[in-house]
Amino acid sequence: MNGKLIIFSAPSGAGKTTIVRHILGQHRDKFEFSISASTRDPRGTEENGKDYYFISKEDFLHKIAKHEFIEFEEVYAGTFYGTLRSELERIWALGKHVIFDIDVIGGLRLKSKYPDDALAIFVNPPSLAVLKERLSGRGTDSEEKLGERFAKAELELSYADKFDVILNNFDLDTACQEAEKLVLDFLARKD
Ligand code: ADP
Ligand code: 5GP
């Protein structure tokens, strides 16, 4: 099987994680979540090895030096996130396709590395104001963390046109259904 990459990108709070969880819940047999490495602390109920590989900055820098990342990004000042090569290999060895929840720069970088096998989807919130409401409403980030996320949001929204598809996340059920259709159509596509 030729494993595909399904990339969901957007500013923080747009709804990527919610939509990705929906797809994984419906199609466990087909898709596996790409667990990124991150130097941030776990949030809420997050678990190491499930939501992220939570590692120290020292360990992260060591992995960069050993070329273990397909892509990585200092998404927020001092906080690194990256996709490990071993993660893609792990998932493809299971005979599944990989789903990513990743920032806009990382998403476009992956798409450029796998132009034919990747579908890059931009999750579009109704407005900047609604994005902010969702992010604060999630209730998982401190004022400082919210501030750094808001500060990046406007610039990130301006990258939408560079993606293969823009998925509007206005009504959540509609967005989940559209997302499912997009990814299943992509898998069915003849190469
Ligand atoms: P991201 O992964 O992009 O940071 P999340 O999936 O964590 O975003 O969503 C941010 C918050 O917004 C969560 O509390 C989620 O339940 C909520 N949310 C997501 N999509 C919608 C929607 N269409 N309508 C209302 N709330 C939403
Ligand atoms: P959060 O801290 O809210 O989980 O994630 C912050 C941002 O980092 C989100 O936009 C998320 O998609 C992104 N992110 C998560 N994993 C990766 C990764 O492996 N690489 C890159 N470039 N961004 C990531």
Side-chain angles (χ1 to χ4, degrees):
M1 186 193 82
N2 192 11
K4 306 272 190 228
L5 301 87
I6 310 290
I7 303 162
F8 285 89
S9 293
S12 191
K16 301 179 291 295
T17 309
T18 311
I19 292 169
V20 163
R21 283 197 182 140
H22 169 81
I23 293 176
L24 289 170
Q26 299 292 313
H27 302 283
R28 287 249 161 245
D29 55 324
K30 291 190 181 63
F31 301 108
E32 192 83 8
F33 180 59
S34 167
I35 304 167
S36 296
S38 175
T39 63
R40 79 154 163 78
D41 293 329
R43 200 164 65 195
T45 58
E46 286 179 339
E47 287 175 38
N48 184 32
K50 181 165 166 269
D51 300 283
Y52 281 105
Y53 300 114
F54 293 105
I55 64 175
S56 67
K57 198 179 288 179
E58 188 188 12
D59 196 6
F60 201 104
L61 296 176
H62 193 58
K63 287 184 188 306
I64 295 176
K66 289 197 293 171
H67 304 285
E68 290 185 25
F69 290 106
I70 300 177
E71 65 76 39
F72 70 90
E73 207 42 48
E74 187 175 357
V75 177
Y76 307 109
T79 310
F80 291 82
Y81 295 78
T83 306
L84 292 160
R85 211 172 288 283
S86 56
E87 194 57 13
L88 284 196
E89 285 157 10
R90 174 182 78 81
I91 295 171
W92 284 338
L94 296 172
K96 295 189 186 182
H97 306 287
V98 191
I99 292 208
F100 297 85
D101 170 339
I102 181 173
D103 90 312
V104 291
I105 305 289
L108 291 172
R109 193 167 289 156
L110 273 183
K111 173 68 189 180
S112 72
K113 288 199 171 180
Y114 299 91
D116 299 327
D117 289 329
L119 175 68
I121 301 172
F122 187 91
V123 179
N124 189 36
S127 65
L128 200 53
V130 172
L131 178 79
K132 290 182 177 180
E133 271 170 31
R134 284 184 189 168
L135 200 48
S136 341
R138 188 167 69 186
T140 49
D141 300 274
S142 64
E143 283 301 318
E144 185 198 345
K145 299 280 173 211
L146 285 176
E148 63 187 13
R149 282 167 164 70
F150 292 162
K152 284 194 82 170
E154 205 165 345
L155 177 67
E156 289 172 325
L157 286 173
S158 73
Y159 284 89
D161 287 344
K162 301 190 189 302
F163 281 74
D164 293 325
V165 203
I166 297 178
L167 171 70
N168 286 328
N169 181 17
F170 301 178
D171 171 68
L172 183 58
D173 287 344
T174 309
C176 286
Q177 281 170 28
E178 284 177 3
E180 233 179 305
K181 181 166 172 8
L182 280 172
V183 300
L184 295 179
D185 285 354
F186 182 70
L187 295 193
R189 203 186 66 174
K190 292 257 178 296
D191 289 311

